[in-house]
Amino acid sequence: MPSLPAYTSSLPAAPPRGTTDASPTATARSSLNLLRSLARARRGDLSHRALLLFRSLHSTSSSPSSFSPSTPPPHFSIPAALSAAAFLGALPEGRQLHALATKLALSPAHTVVANSLVHLYASCGDPASALALFRRIPEPTLVSWNTAVDALESNGDHLAALDLFREMRRDRPDLSPDAYTVQSVLGACAGAGALSLGLYAHAMLLRELGGAGDAGAAAAVSRDVLINNSLVDLYGKCGAVELAGQVFDRMPERDLASWNAMVLALANHGRVRDSLDLFHRMTKSENVTPNAITFVAVLSACSHGGLVEEGRRHFAAMVSDYNIRPRIEHYGCMVDILARAGLIEEALDIVAGMSCRPDSVIWRSLLDACCKRNAGLELSEAMAKLALDVPDDAVSGVYVLLSRVYASAQRWNDVGMIRRLMSEEGFKKEPGFSSIEMSGCVHQFVAGDTSHPQSEEIYEKLDEIQQRLTSAGYKPDVSEAPMVADADGTKGATLRLHSERLAISFGLLNATPGAPIRILKNLRVCKDCHTISKLISKLYDVEIVVRDRIRFHHFKDGSCSCKDYW
């Protein structure tokens, strides 16, 4: 990316009152149109030129009296410059523009300028500043609310985005949601795994955007590819892959993103053959040319299904038939396919032949395969060392995997050594949480959680579950608890406090009889929790759908859709 201009010494001073809204001349209008065109081009070099143009337009404005009709009014030019800075992720330059807008009394008083600043901070990964600025807008419009909701959703704070949307509906009944509102809400519901809220948003989409009695508007909504893609993504990520398929099949128009979303949804739900069949239909029957994202989905399907030969074939076709250069994600999928099948040497050959440097995810994938395949301590320790040599924020994950290798080998002293090392180095295991939606509210649990209003009933139900599991012959896999327990006598007790077990207990207490229990987990499901989820589904005659970091697990009648291959 080219270096961005510095504005510190050349920002224009505030115009005198009464001159800001002076009618721009033809020159000013031309300059403003060029600035806006550059900013809207969505290209790094042109966004850079937009910032340079903004600087040149206002560089001579060193005093309030220097503003003239030949210069674009700042309440027009600043939003365009902010759009360019947002596209570049240029936070320092955006903050200087914010300072200028404040100096000119345009922020937060001028709604358009304030909205542009909210968008800037969201694009630069600073949702807290975006929300703080939104709260200061005197009269927020629908665009203001949309921008704030999107700021939270696009930065991963899905629950906060949904809360803000609820606030808008409650406090501003005069504002009717539009397509932008709904897309952000659908994205937040998908991220939070909030199916019932997603269904509500879908109904709102049909009711308010479709226009009651307005067949033309309803047809326009049903044809909107972006909205339909958001619905496919929503249902796919909320564990309702059948609904995702219904939306996809009814789409009058599809783009490549539509196909990619559906192929990936089927893959993530363990519908491997359906996913690959859809890819074949896409490329052969519909003549849609796949891209790099498509092959991430296809290789993910092969990985989830343990289809080694098909994975090799699709990887080769990606390069030879479609001239797509493999990315780190494609290599990661191939390494995962081979390593999980026990072909660790071939996986290492893939790593050796990569055109890019392997990241820690690839080494952790190999370490995880070594752990599951009992590949031996020497190889596992070598994989751990390679993973630790790559700069990464997820170092703790490597230590956790290595501790499991030692635990599987009954080397508890080495497990303790890993714990001490993590403590001394200041590493902490990523906190796991599980969330479950019930009656439109998302309930979140962490291990050993006692903060929920129904905690007493949840733990009573958990005791009942434990008794039934024991009667069914269940014995805890203590290798899954080495990082949270010191003595063998406490390992089994800590397992029963895992967050997904609390969520399942809550679901059994509150779910409508016959309805699936849908849980979102931020980490991978551990082997012991996978085992008890299968048992609970049989003992309580309930379907449990768990979305973990990697894929979906549909537990029903004592078995899982992953066929114990994950």
Side-chain angles (χ1 to χ4, degrees):
M1 181 184 296
S3 58
L4 296 172
Y7 300 108
T8 306
S9 60
S10 58
L11 288 176
R17 292 189 181 278
T19 62
T20 302
D21 292 325
S23 299
T25 63
T27 301
R29 285 195 298 270
S30 297
S31 298
L32 181 60
N33 288 336
L34 177 59
L35 176 62
R36 286 173 168 170
S37 297
L38 292 170
R40 291 170 180 168
R42 313 298 291 172
R43 278 177 43 185
D45 57 334
L46 297 183
S47 293
H48 177 73
R49 288 180 62 188
L51 294 177
L52 290 172
L53 177 60
F54 177 86
R55 177 182 179 179
S56 67
L57 289 173
H58 295 294
S59 60
T60 58
S61 303
S62 57
S63 66
S65 60
S66 63
F67 275 83
S68 70
S70 63
T71 302
H75 62 278
F76 290 143
S77 60
I78 289 177
L82 285 169
S83 177
F87 179 74
L88 292 170
L91 185 57
E93 287 73 15
R95 283 177 172 155
Q96 291 182 55
L97 290 166
H98 189 178
L100 172 62
T102 302
K103 187 176 183 180
L104 300 178
L106 294 174
S107 174
H110 195 287
T111 306
V112 175
V113 173
N115 291 346
S116 299
L117 283 165
V118 172
H119 174 65
L120 165 85
Y121 286 119
S123 300
C124 294
D126 188 358
S129 294
L131 188 61
L133 182 59
F134 165 75
R135 294 297 187 190
R136 293 172 52 216
I137 299 176
E139 297 181 10
T141 62
L142 178 61
V143 174
S144 308
W145 285 93
N146 285 351
T147 308
V149 171
D150 183 68
L152 295 169
E153 188 275 325
S154 61
N155 281 280
D157 200 344
H158 307 298
L159 296 180
L162 293 174
D163 287 342
L164 190 62
F165 171 69
R166 290 191 189 95
E167 180 184 335
M168 183 188 88
R169 297 291 281 168
R170 182 188 67 238
D171 298 344
R172 293 297 305 272
D174 56 309
L175 297 178
S176 297
D178 61 10
Y180 295 102
T181 320
V182 174
Q183 276 192 268
S184 294
V185 171
L186 291 174
C189 291
L195 179 60
S196 66
L197 285 173
L199 289 166
Y200 165 77
H202 192 175
M204 179 182 68
L205 173 76
L206 298 175
R207 182 179 65 250
E208 300 197 21
L209 300 186
D214 188 344
V221 170
S222 69
R223 287 195 305 268
D224 192 302
V225 176
L226 291 178
I227 288 179
N228 281 319
N229 289 349
S230 296
L231 288 169
V232 171
D233 184 63
L234 163 77
Y235 291 128
K237 289 181 177 176
C238 287
V241 69
E242 294 82 5
L243 292 177
Q246 289 178 20
V247 173
F248 179 82
D249 290 339
R250 293 173 182 172
M251 289 176 67
E253 299 175 14
R254 304 185 187 96
D255 60 10
L256 180 56
S258 313
W259 292 94
N260 288 349
M262 196 63 224
V263 171
L264 184 59
L266 290 167
N268 286 342
H269 282 267
R271 302 266 294 271
V272 174
R273 185 45 56 194
D274 290 339
S275 177
L276 296 178
D277 287 346
L278 186 65
F279 172 71
H280 185 272
R281 171 186 158 196
M282 163 191 168
T283 54
K284 304 303 181 185
S285 302
E286 304 290 340
N287 295 318
V288 177
T289 302
N291 63 5
I293 297 173
T294 316
F295 278 100
V296 171
V298 169
L299 293 174
S300 294
C302 295
S303 177
H304 293 324
L307 304 178
V308 176
E309 191 53 46
E310 288 200 55
R312 292 183 182 127
R313 180 165 54 81
H314 285 300
F315 186 84
M318 175 183 73
V319 178
S320 61
D321 296 349
Y322 297 100
N323 297 316
I324 296 174
R325 184 177 180 181
R327 300 178 182 176
I328 190 73
E329 297 89 348
H330 303 117
Y331 286 121
C333 287
M334 281 306 301
V335 167
D336 197 50
I337 290 169
L338 296 168
R340 288 170 60 201
L343 303 172
I344 295 175
E345 292 296 330
E346 187 177 345
L348 289 171
D349 289 340
I350 290 283
V351 174
M354 286 173 56
S355 59
C356 51
R357 184 182 179 184
D359 61 8
S360 63
V361 175
I362 286 179
W363 294 123
R364 288 202 305 270
S365 179
L366 283 163
L367 176 56
D368 185 48
C370 289
C371 179
K372 289 180 177 178
R373 287 281 173 175
N374 296 316
L377 289 175
E378 186 176 346
L379 183 57
S380 298
E381 289 171 336
M383 293 300 103
K385 184 180 184 303
L386 289 166
L388 292 171
D389 286 342
V390 180
D392 193 280
D393 293 334
V395 172
S396 63
V398 179
Y399 284 123
V400 171
L401 285 172
L402 186 57
S403 76
R404 288 178 181 167
V405 172
Y406 289 138
S408 298
Q410 301 293 305
R411 287 175 50 169
W412 301 112
N413 288 338
D414 288 323
V415 171
M417 178 268 293
I418 293 291
R419 290 189 63 197
R420 288 192 299 273
L421 183 61
M422 289 181 69
S423 177
E424 291 168 2
E425 297 293 332
F427 297 126
K428 293 184 178 180
K429 182 178 181 293
E430 182 180 356
F433 71 81
S434 296
S435 62
I436 179 171
E437 184 197 29
M438 201 67 63
S439 301
C441 294
V442 177
H443 304 262
Q444 196 169 96
F445 298 91
V446 296
D449 202 337
T450 58
S451 63
H452 195 276
Q454 283 187 266
S455 279
E456 186 174 344
E457 299 96 313
I458 290 171
Y459 278 93
E460 287 178 358
K461 190 68 174 179
L462 205 57
D463 289 338
E464 174 202 306
I465 293 170
Q466 188 65 32
Q467 290 173 6
R468 294 188 65 175
L469 288 172
T470 302
S471 298
Y474 159 75
K475 292 183 180 180
D477 181 352
V478 296
S479 68
E480 296 292 341
M483 302 305 291
V484 292
D486 291 307
D488 286 346
T490 62
K491 287 186 171 72
T494 59
L495 286 171
R496 67 187 293 269
L497 301 181
H498 279 191
S499 62
E500 57 263 58
R501 303 194 190 200
L502 298 177
I504 290 172
S505 179
F506 174 80
L508 290 173
L509 284 170
N510 296 280
T512 303
I517 295 173
R518 303 178 189 274
I519 295 170
L520 182 150
K521 183 173 172 61
N522 68 322
L523 303 177
R524 294 183 74 169
V525 173
C526 78
K527 186 164 63 173
D528 193 71
C529 287
H530 193 271
T531 297
I532 69 108
S533 297
K534 289 192 296 182
L535 286 170
I536 291 173
S537 72
K538 183 176 182 179
L539 294 172
Y540 286 85
D541 190 24
V542 62
E543 181 180 1
I544 302 171
V545 181
V546 177
R547 169 182 145 194
D548 71 6
R549 176 180 282 178
I550 304 299
R551 61 173 299 163
F552 277 87
H553 299 266
H554 292 254
F555 301 99
K556 190 173 183 180
D557 299 326
S559 62
C560 179
S561 59
C562 74
K563 298 178 175 62
D564 297 338
Y565 189 86
W566 89 100

